[in-house]
């Protein structure tokens, strides 16, 4: 990273953006409460949603280690890019509006920052497990508890199978409860393979790891979804513990571990699939009429 002349690195940018977002969220909430205009609360909520979506991964960027631990397998080009430039994901997925906001905040701070290059495109399809990965999937549960975090209950270390209606219902619940992780359920219903089996298991990132006295009362789950064109992608979804525990468990334990390892290795997720599908997302293309 460039040094001198006011240049800052990705971790410092993430700190700056988190502080700016919190200040704007506080201001938006205050201004909405002071205005009689009926549109003000809705506009404030939309701005707050935009900022929350933009910065929700930045605590992970702030805590990204300067020295990376040794890995059991070689990193892909995409993984190397993310580790070399921790802001790569946020910058490349926030869109023109988000990039403009980031650039504006850096300029206001009086610093200079070099945005990361575009991320290498991840490979499509299900990755082939190496011999080491196949062996590791036979022993223990692949989702490990981060250092210093409280373990999830034993019942959380399980993979559940759902049909398309079940996945859509979980997304609808996450949206209604404003849990923060979950896509528009009507779009998802139109683009999931309605005949396929989909899978779900708790896999919280360290910054989403729940605790009894913490602000997060839900579990960040990872889903293995089959889309309408047959491609398998991963997705993140906030699920209440009681909702997840109530789902039936019908998948053999050995296959559960194999599917968890496979899902965590997938290069493409629901966001990337939706981006590539966007040109065909219409009543004339895939049949889904966008609002």
């Amino acid at each position: 990273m460039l040094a001198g002349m006011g240049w800052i690195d990705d971790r410092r940018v993430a700190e700056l953006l988190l502080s700016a977002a919190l200040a704007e969220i506080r201001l938006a909430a205050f201004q909405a409460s002071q205005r009689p205009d009926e549109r003000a609360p809705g506009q404030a909520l939309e701005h707050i949603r935009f900022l929350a979506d933009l910065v929700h991964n930045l605590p992970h960027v702030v805590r990204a280690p300067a020295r990376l631990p040794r890995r059991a397998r070689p990193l892909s080009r995409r993984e190397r890019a993310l580790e070399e430039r921790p802001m790569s994901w946020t910058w490349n997925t926030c869109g023109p509006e988000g990039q403009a906001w980031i650039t504006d905040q850096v300029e206001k701070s009086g610093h200079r920052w070099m945005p990361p290059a575009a991320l290498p495109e991840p490979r499509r399809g299900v990755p082939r497990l190496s011999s080491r990965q196949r062996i590791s999937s036979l022993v223990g549960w692949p989702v490990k508890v981060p250092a210093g975090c409280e373990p999830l209950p034993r019942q959380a270390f399980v993979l559940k199978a759902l049909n398309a209606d079940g996945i859509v219902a979980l997304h609808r619940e996450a949206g209604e409860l404003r849990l923060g992780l979950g896509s528009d359920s009507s779009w998802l219903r139109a683009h999931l393979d309605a005949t396929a089996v989909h899978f779900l298991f708790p896999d919280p990132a360290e910054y989403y790891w729940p605790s009894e006295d913490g602000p997060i009362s839900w579990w960040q789950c990872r889903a293995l979804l089959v889309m309408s064109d047959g491609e398998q992608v991963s997705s993140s979804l906030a699920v209440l513990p009681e909702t997840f525990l109530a789902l039936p468990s019908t998948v053999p334990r050995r296959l559960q571990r194999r599917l968890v390892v496979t899902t965590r290795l997938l290069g493409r997720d629901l966001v990337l699939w939706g981006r590539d599908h966007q040109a065909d997302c219409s009543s004339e293309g895939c049949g889904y009429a966008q609002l």
Side-chain angles (χ1 to χ4, degrees):
M1 193 66 185
L2 295 170
M5 299 179 60
W7 290 95
I8 54 177
D9 64 12
D10 284 7
R11 278 174 281 276
R12 181 69 185 91
V13 166
E15 292 175 348
L16 185 155
L17 297 178
L18 282 169
S19 178
L22 287 173
E24 287 195 23
I25 287 172
R26 181 172 60 184
L27 178 62
F30 173 76
Q31 290 178 338
S33 68
Q34 300 299 307
R35 295 176 184 170
D37 186 348
E38 293 182 356
R39 295 176 299 173
Q43 293 171 343
L45 285 174
E46 179 59 26
H47 187 59
I48 289 171
R49 182 206 61 76
F50 161 73
L51 291 172
D53 285 348
L54 182 59
V55 305
H56 81 278
N57 278 323
L58 295 190
H60 176 67
V61 176
V62 171
R63 294 196 296 268
R67 287 181 173 271
L68 301 173
R70 297 181 64 181
R71 302 298 183 107
R73 62 178 177 86
L75 296 177
S76 67
R77 290 187 306 133
R78 188 177 180 84
E79 289 170 329
R80 284 198 302 271
L82 287 168
E83 293 202 338
E84 291 170 1
R85 295 298 307 274
M87 279 290 295
S88 292
W89 174 259
T90 298
W91 177 259
N92 285 289
T93 58
C94 66
E97 183 182 3
Q99 291 180 352
W101 184 84
I102 291 173
T103 302
D104 186 50
Q105 300 309 313
V106 174
E107 290 178 353
K108 286 179 179 177
S109 73
H111 293 94
R112 301 176 71 184
W113 174 68
M114 181 74 71
L119 284 168
E121 285 295 315
R123 293 179 179 177
R124 295 173 182 264
V126 177
R128 179 176 297 177
L129 300 185
S130 66
S131 298
R132 181 191 295 267
Q133 290 163 343
R134 286 196 297 270
I135 293 172
S136 66
S137 70
L138 301 176
V139 182
W141 190 247
V143 179
K144 307 301 181 184
V145 181
C149 293
E150 302 172 4
L152 298 177
R154 182 178 56 83
Q155 298 92 327
F157 297 103
V158 63
L159 173 140
K160 306 287 184 78
L162 298 90
N163 59 20
D165 287 342
I167 290 289
V168 169
L170 292 177
H171 276 263
R172 183 182 301 112
E173 181 179 70
E176 291 174 349
L177 297 176
R178 297 183 179 179
L179 300 182
L181 289 176
S183 64
D184 173 62
S185 58
S186 59
W187 181 93
L188 188 64
R189 178 182 289 278
H191 294 95
L192 280 178
D193 184 338
T195 65
V197 178
H198 312 274
F199 301 98
L200 184 79
F201 59 95
D203 189 12
E206 183 178 351
Y207 48 86
Y208 279 145
W209 200 272
S211 61
E212 292 185 2
D213 55 351
I216 297 178
S217 59
W218 40 266
W219 291 345
Q220 181 189 14
C221 291
R222 196 186 299 253
L224 174 58
L225 306 177
V226 183
M227 306 309 294
S228 54
D229 61 356
E231 183 177 353
Q232 291 180 279
V233 300
S234 65
S235 177
S236 288
L237 174 64
V239 182
L240 294 176
E242 55 269 28
T243 299
F244 181 83
L245 296 177
L247 298 172
S249 179
T250 59
V251 183
R253 191 64 175 174
R254 183 171 179 173
L255 179 57
Q256 287 185 40
R257 292 193 292 265
R258 183 77 170 268
L259 288 169
V260 168
V261 172
T262 298
T263 305
R264 299 178 100 206
L265 291 175
L266 281 173
R268 282 168 54 82
D269 61 13
L270 186 61
V271 174
L272 292 177
W273 187 91
R275 181 203 64 184
D276 293 342
H277 172 75
Q278 192 171 7
D280 296 324
C281 197
S282 66
S283 56
E284 293 77 21
C286 67
Y288 176 72
Q290 291 180 296
L291 298 178

